[in-house]
Structure formats: structure tokens, C-alpha cells
Amino acid sequence: MDKRVPQLHRSKGRFYLRWEDYIQGRDKPINRCRSLQKGITEEEAERERQNFCIDLDNVTWQRWCETDLEIHSSKVRQSTIDGIRRVYEHIKRLYGPNYLKDITNELLLDYRLKRQNEGCKPGTFNTELAIIKAAFNRAIERNVIDYNPVSKSLRCRPDEKSIIILSSGDYQLLLDTAPTFDWELIIAIGYHSGLRIGEILTLNTWNIDFNYRVLTVSNSIDYKLKSGKGRQVPISPQLLDYLNRRVEQGRAGRIIDSVSLKPNKHCSYNINNASRGFARICEKAWLVNRYGKNLYTTHTLRRTCITHWVRSGCTMDQVRDLAGHASITTTAKYYCQPSSVGEIQSKLDQKWRQ
């Protein structure tokens, strides 16, 4: 008798299914158990067993999905289980495969095309593909199937988003629209120092060196830097004026008092609150596209500052250190594309003037 096939057992008036699960890398099999519904007869329990029974040569798709979700549910969060279930439902809706072996590379290629026609974004499909690949790896570990139909060629190339930077006119418009001085500070610090929004909200007055005009960004209890390493950022004359005004108010401690859009009202330093507040300022300043979506985010301030550093002649290593990037690849890929365009444009302008 193959112990990998679920067998029917009865204990205390209730029926159970028991079987052994063989996983690669383990010397001994894992004993699995599933309780059936209370009050059913032996004939009904046997029918449930047959429906649940996994034939190692022809594993039904429906049975594999149920078994995989049940076994996997004890190891990961519910949100992950919901994501796996949604992918299984998409495959069932589009194809309704009878057996697990029916899922082939050709079928997944067609699946990608149908999902794209439904409006599925490339990044979303790549996530679904990773879920399918992991599911087949689990099936291989349990000796249910001997191949994985998911290959790298199935991945979609994500759409490259254009890098948007803030113009000087829009920057001044944001400052004029800012409802409080705290928000003027947030916009000015992000635009002139390239700090992340979390770094701005946790910045303290003792991080400012007015003699050498330097901002010190370091790890704190409230915020851990993304790269894990502190850095120093130069203070521009425009930003120095804002920081002087803040210190002259007798401020000691946090530079940003509140991210509320209403004066004299406390609001949490939560990054999400700051992002929502900045979005409302953009809407009030009419900095939206024709679909009503905001043109800028708080990260646009950081991206603009880093782009200005590159265009001013700083080397890639210097920009990486100032921005607090762990890798120079991040600096080159996500922040410095507009700089090369601007450099070429300036050279063309000089040539045309001649």
C-alpha cells in the first residue's frame, strides 16, 4: 500500500485522512492529517477520500490547489495565501486544466497573453509567475511532478517609467501653496538636500552644523537609514535661510513639528500622512495631469536634488555618498538619466549657436 495516498481512519466518531508527504532533503516522510466533516457516513467519507486522493501519475489540478493551499497555510501569512489562491483561480478561469501536468510552457505563454489583454501590468504578471514557479517547485519536492514549466523567457519586461524632476517654477509654486511653515521646510529640505521623507521628519536641530553648512543624517530610534550608514549633506544658501528661521523660533529637537495641513494642529510623523499631505498640496497648486493625477510625490524632491548634483559636475561616487545609496547602480539607473539628456541638450545648443 502506497502511504502517499490518503487513507481513511476513524477516531472518536469522526473520520480522518492520513498520508505521508515525501519532501526532498528529508530522511523521513512527514505525516499529514485532514479531518472530514462531522456526522458523515462511512460511504460519504470514502467518497471524500477518493476525491481527495492524489494519484501520483495524474495529479488533478483542483486537488493539487486545495492540498497546496492547505499545507502552505500553516507556514505563511494569510495575505500570501490569498495571493496564491487568486493565481490559481485565474488559471482555472482561463483554462480549467484537469491535471497538474497539463500546465506547460506553451500554456503559460498563452496565459501571459490573455492576462495582458485583461489589463494585467507586467510587474503583476511577474509576481503571478513567481507564485506559479514556487508552486511547481513544491510539487517537485513532493515527487508529484518531475519538471517545472516556468522559465525566465516567460517574464514580462516592466514598463520603464520616465524620471520626473521638479522645475524651479513648480518648486516655488509648492512653497507658495504650502499651508504651514513646517510644510515649507519639508519641501525646501527635500529639494535642496535630497533627503528621504522619513529622514526629513526625524531630522533634529543638533543635526545642523551652521558653521560648516552641513546636515548630518544618521540612524535613530525612530528611523533607520535605508543604506544603514550615516552621511553628511551640504546645505545650500536657500535652505540655510529656512533652517535659520526655524532655529530662531527657539526650536530644540525635531525640526518638523507637524505634518498637518492646518496650522497649530498636531499630526503624526507617519510617512504615509506626509505623503497624503503633499498630494493635497499638489492638488491645491494644480500640479496634476489631464487625468487629475498628481505630477509629483515627496520622492520627486529627492530625485530633483540628486539630478542637480549630477548636472553640477559631481562624480557618480560623490552623488552616491550624498544620496545615501548602498550601490552606485541605483544612482545611475534611477536618478541620473535626465542628466545625460540635459548635458547633450546643452552641447547641441552650443553647436546651434555657432
Side-chain angles (χ1 to χ4, degrees):
M1 180 180 64
D2 192 346
K3 293 184 179 181
R4 290 177 292 182
V5 178
Q7 302 298 320
L8 192 63
H9 295 267
R10 185 171 183 174
S11 176
K12 296 182 180 180
R14 188 167 184 173
F15 291 99
Y16 297 84
L17 296 179
R18 300 183 187 276
W19 73 98
E20 291 183 351
D21 193 5
Y22 289 82
I23 300 178
Q24 290 182 356
R26 291 180 177 268
D27 298 333
K28 296 181 180 180
I30 299 176
N31 294 320
R32 302 291 186 186
C33 178
R34 172 173 175 159
S35 59
L36 301 182
Q37 187 178 359
K38 287 184 178 181
I40 61 175
T41 63
E42 186 173 356
E43 290 77 11
E44 292 173 336
E46 178 60 26
R47 196 178 303 115
E48 288 285 336
R49 187 196 72 82
Q50 292 177 359
N51 292 334
F52 186 85
C53 186
I54 297 180
D55 183 354
L56 296 181
D57 295 326
N58 292 307
V59 181
T60 62
W61 171 256
Q62 182 66 24
R63 187 67 266 147
W64 161 253
C65 293
E66 294 176 2
T67 306
D68 183 55
L69 288 172
E70 182 180 357
I71 296 174
H72 210 54
S73 61
S74 61
K75 302 178 181 179
V76 297
R77 295 177 299 179
Q78 184 61 38
S79 59
T80 304
I81 295 298
D82 294 339
I84 298 174
R85 182 179 288 107
R86 281 194 295 269
V87 174
Y88 287 165
E89 290 174 354
H90 285 318
I91 295 177
K92 180 181 178 181
R93 174 176 56 84
L94 295 174
Y95 297 102
N98 294 324
Y99 299 100
L100 187 62
K101 68 178 182 180
D102 293 340
I103 307 297
T104 61
N105 189 270
E106 292 76 13
L107 185 140
L108 291 176
L109 281 171
D110 189 53
Y111 173 75
R112 181 180 69 177
L113 179 61
K114 290 185 177 181
R115 291 291 289 143
Q116 288 175 342
N117 293 336
E118 291 178 346
C120 180
K121 296 182 179 179
T124 303
F125 175 79
N126 289 340
T127 303
E128 294 181 1
L129 194 67
I131 291 174
I132 298 172
K133 184 176 181 180
F136 272 92
N137 285 336
R138 291 193 294 271
I140 292 173
E141 289 178 353
R142 289 167 171 79
N143 296 323
V144 173
I145 203 169
D146 58 357
Y147 73 100
N148 195 327
V150 180
S151 61
K152 291 183 179 180
S153 61
L154 291 170
R155 288 180 56 85
C156 293
R157 185 181 295 274
D159 298 332
E160 293 187 1
K161 296 181 180 180
S162 58
I163 296 179
I164 300 174
I165 61 175
L166 197 67
S167 65
S168 57
D170 288 347
Y171 164 66
Q172 189 60 47
L173 185 58
L174 286 173
L175 289 178
D176 296 338
T177 312
T180 64
F181 183 65
D182 281 320
W183 268 108
E184 289 186 48
L185 264 176
I186 291 174
I187 295 171
I189 294 173
Y191 184 82
H192 291 290
S193 67
L195 268 62
R196 300 178 178 90
I197 184 63
E199 297 168 346
I200 296 175
L201 297 180
T202 55
L203 201 63
N204 295 295
T205 52
W206 51 79
N207 296 128
I208 309 171
D209 189 337
F210 288 99
N211 294 327
Y212 294 97
R213 287 171 47 190
V214 168
L215 271 178
T216 302
V217 186
S218 58
N219 290 300
S220 65
I221 299 176
D222 300 322
Y223 186 82
K224 183 178 180 182
L225 300 181
K226 196 172 181 180
S227 64
K229 185 173 62 174
R231 65 186 189 278
Q232 289 187 326
V233 181
I235 301 175
S236 65
Q238 298 89 341
L239 179 57
L240 188 64
D241 178 56
Y242 277 98
L243 296 176
N244 274 320
R245 288 168 57 187
R246 173 56 86 188
V247 174
E248 287 172 0
Q249 295 175 355
R251 174 74 59 185
R254 289 276 181 89
I255 293 179
I256 306 301
D257 181 40
S258 170
V259 295
S260 172
L261 298 180
K262 298 180 180 179
N264 302 323
K265 182 180 178 182
H266 174 73
C267 187
S268 170
Y269 290 98
N270 188 288
I271 294 176
N272 292 331
N273 290 340
S275 299
R276 285 190 290 267
F278 186 82
R280 294 191 186 98
I281 294 174
C282 287
E283 291 173 2
K284 190 176 180 180
W286 291 97
L287 296 176
V288 296
N289 59 18
R290 58 180 179 176
Y291 303 108
K293 187 176 181 181
N294 294 332
L295 293 175
Y296 308 120
T297 65
T298 54
H299 206 74
T300 308
L301 302 170
R302 169 176 166 81
R303 186 177 292 113
T304 303
C305 179
I306 295 175
T307 302
H308 288 166
W309 285 336
V310 176
R311 290 183 176 178
S312 64
C314 295
T315 64
M316 295 295 290
D317 290 331
Q318 290 173 336
V319 174
R320 177 198 60 192
D321 295 337
L322 290 174
H325 290 150
S327 171
I328 199 171
T329 305
T330 305
T331 310
K333 184 177 181 180
Y334 297 105
Y335 293 91
C336 299
Q337 291 182 18
S339 63
S340 59
V341 176
E343 184 179 351
I344 294 172
Q345 185 67 39
S346 62
K347 291 181 179 179
L348 290 175
D349 290 341
Q350 293 177 1
K351 182 178 180 181
W352 288 335
R353 292 193 192 98
Q354 296 174 0

